Amino acid sequence: MKILFIDPEKKNSKGKKYNRNQLFYLIYSRYFAFRRPFAFSILAALTPKNYEISVIQGGIDEIDFDKNYDLVGLTTTTVLANIAYKIADEFRSRGVTVVIGGWHASALPEEAKQYADSVVIGEADETWPQLLKDFENGKLKPFYRPECPVNLEKIPRAKNVYPRENTIGIHATRGCPNGCEFCSITNMKFRRYYRMRPVKDVIEEIRSSTNKTFSFQDASITTNHKYTKTLFKEMKPLNKKFSTMGNIHDLEDEELLKAASEAGCYTWIIGFESINQKSLDSINKKKNKVKDFSKIIKKIQDYGMAVEGSFIFGFDFDTIDIFDETDDFIRKNNLKMPYLDVLTPFPGTPIFERFKREGRILSKDWSKYDGHNYVVYQPKLMSPEILLSKTQEIEKRWHTKHRSIERITKNIRFGFNNFIEVATIELTWHLNKKGSKSQNKK
Ligand code: SF4
């Protein structure tokens, strides 16, 4: 039996496919590790040995629709849902059974079902083996949903289904209890339960990997300090380097920072979301305290680790001043990399439901839900056009030659990995700039 897993990833900013052999890809592939569906590594580990598994990374690999597969498994994010549905149509028109899962299908299973023989809702660890049995017996059900949160003590070690990549993803925990209004985690019923894998399992997985560098895929590895400190302390002798996401309010803990640094952490990726406290409070991210941000960033940097920050514009208390203020904040605090997004209310999240009730959803064309090129809702204190143009303007400002050089030189102090990552992304930005076109549409 042959299974094909497909991540319908979009192409790069120039509309081209990524090339695995390009210098940019080789050096910067840890970012692609974040974008590779980790679920496929888990599903592969749960699939019986009599199945042959292939994986297509969309935007990199070509799909051969005429190859002989028994089952195709597609994952979906909202922006890629239409592409996933087209791929599903192609395979189904050739008589291949298609199963769809992922964030978007979990939020809108009835929609996804129109394009698939079966929809996997939420975490698939426990439903996938049953689905395969039903498939073999010709009794595939239309929907598969877990009955309870997956017990991480029982899951097998993830299988590396991306052997050609030089960075792998590993997860130690799942879920997040914080319930931020915009976050897709809130749309998966059991993702609110924070769960931890046994430390020895995670250590064994890291130890057995031949990769020197990896990235933790956890939504927040910092939620249980005791667990995280134990994990990091056990990782110290492994001599690996890693990046990880974490919550800023958890990173005041110096013991945790010391353990992270000694374990080989070189970058923290933090969802600040906003430097407007009223906006943070309004989206239920009250634990983020703007007044403490700079102090905590400095602490992290003093332990030799760089900080990348994600910021979203267009919350209900954001005025036009938020753009310049955020730009100043990022620069003053010497962030390694800012991620600057337009607020996008993904289906299934509380913010999508609220905007729908308030009549503020402007488009349900999912291909516009990319956070960069479109505004799909009516902001409160500015027009959609201003929100989009100002976000794109400060993003461009971050890559002026002067800023690029400044950022590359400032990141030298955070070690080789950080320096080379920033240098590569800046170089690529400038090489790609010529000829690249922004869509600039509402
Ligand atoms: S945004 Fe971060 S802290 Fe908030 S619910 Fe999502 S993962 Fe948790």
Side-chain angles (χ1 to χ4, degrees), residues 38-47 125 155-156 158-159 171 174:
F38 189 59
F40 292 163
S41 303
I42 302 279
L43 295 184
L46 291 160
T47 302
D125 310 58
I155 60 165
K159 195 168 174 179
H171 83 304
R174 269 204 223 164

Side-chain angles (χ1 to χ4, degrees), residues 62-307:
E62 293 289 347
I63 302 172
D64 181 352
F65 290 102
D66 295 319
K67 212 167 162 184
N68 186 20
Y69 298 108
D70 299 291
L71 186 70
V72 166
L74 277 156
T75 185
T76 53
T77 54
T78 298
V79 67
L80 299 176
N82 294 339
I83 297 174
Y85 297 155
K86 274 194 193 132
I87 295 170
D89 282 345
E90 287 286 344
F91 277 110
R92 291 179 89 203
S93 70
R94 290 162 171 80
V96 181
T97 302
V98 173
V99 174
I100 296 187
W103 295 107
H104 188 78
S106 295
L108 300 174
E110 299 290 343
E111 175 191 290
K113 181 66 186 73
Q114 295 169 48
Y115 304 91
D117 298 284
S118 185
V119 178
V120 177
I121 301 163
E123 296 176 334
D125 310 58
E126 277 161 13
T127 50
W128 180 249
Q130 185 59 49
L131 182 148
L132 290 180
K133 272 187 204 150
D134 293 347
F135 170 64
E136 284 169 27
N137 296 326
K139 290 181 178 168
L140 205 57
K141 296 188 187 78
F143 300 102
Y144 287 85
R145 328 182 136 73
E147 300 287 323
C148 57
V150 170
N151 180 349
L152 298 194
E153 291 187 10
K154 291 188 182 163
I155 60 165
R157 187 190 298 171
K159 195 168 174 179
N160 184 8
V161 292
Y162 306 106
R164 285 184 288 173
E165 305 300 342
N166 61 15
T167 313
I168 57 160
I170 285 182
H171 83 304
T173 66
R174 269 204 223 164
C176 177
N178 290 324
C180 303
E181 192 189 25
F182 67 94
C183 180
S184 291
I185 276 197
T186 55
N187 96 31
M188 286 211 193
K189 195 172 165 199
F190 297 126
R191 278 287 170 117
R192 295 288 291 272
Y193 293 85
Y194 191 68
R195 288 147 292 157
M196 294 150 277
R197 289 175 70 195
V199 168
K200 65 172 179 21
D201 290 1
V202 184
I203 294 294
E204 215 24 66
E205 189 167 333
I206 299 169
R207 195 198 307 277
S208 65
S209 162
T210 51
N211 298 71
K212 173 85 181 133
T213 311
F214 71 93
S215 63
F216 274 114
Q217 306 279 301
D218 309 43
S220 174
I221 204 166
T222 53
T223 296
N224 183 318
H225 289 213
K226 193 170 167 227
Y227 172 84
T228 313
K229 284 179 206 169
T230 308
L231 174 66
F232 286 166
K233 282 176 188 166
E234 297 271 325
M235 282 171 61
K236 192 174 164 184
L238 302 181
N239 198 23
K240 303 269 184 175
K241 292 281 177 199
F242 69 94
S243 58
T244 185
M245 287 182 260
N247 286 323
I248 187 78
H249 58 265
D250 291 317
L251 296 174
E252 276 203 284
D253 183 336
E254 294 217 25
E255 195 190 339
L256 194 151
L257 291 181
K258 184 169 181 284
S261 172
E262 289 177 356
C265 178
Y266 65 95
T267 292
W268 283 94
I269 302 153
I270 296 172
F272 295 96
E273 322 308 359
S274 181
I275 56 157
N276 179 343
Q277 190 63 51
K278 278 189 177 169
S279 287
L280 290 171
D281 293 348
S282 75
I283 55 159
N284 199 30
K285 197 142 187 172
K286 293 180 183 150
K287 285 184 183 168
N288 272 17
K289 299 291 179 207
V290 176
K291 67 177 176 44
D292 297 331
F293 283 178
S294 296
K295 183 181 68 186
I296 302 173
I297 292 169
K298 185 165 181 316
K299 266 191 195 176
I300 300 169
Q301 292 170 335
D302 285 347
Y303 276 97
M305 298 173 285
V307 176

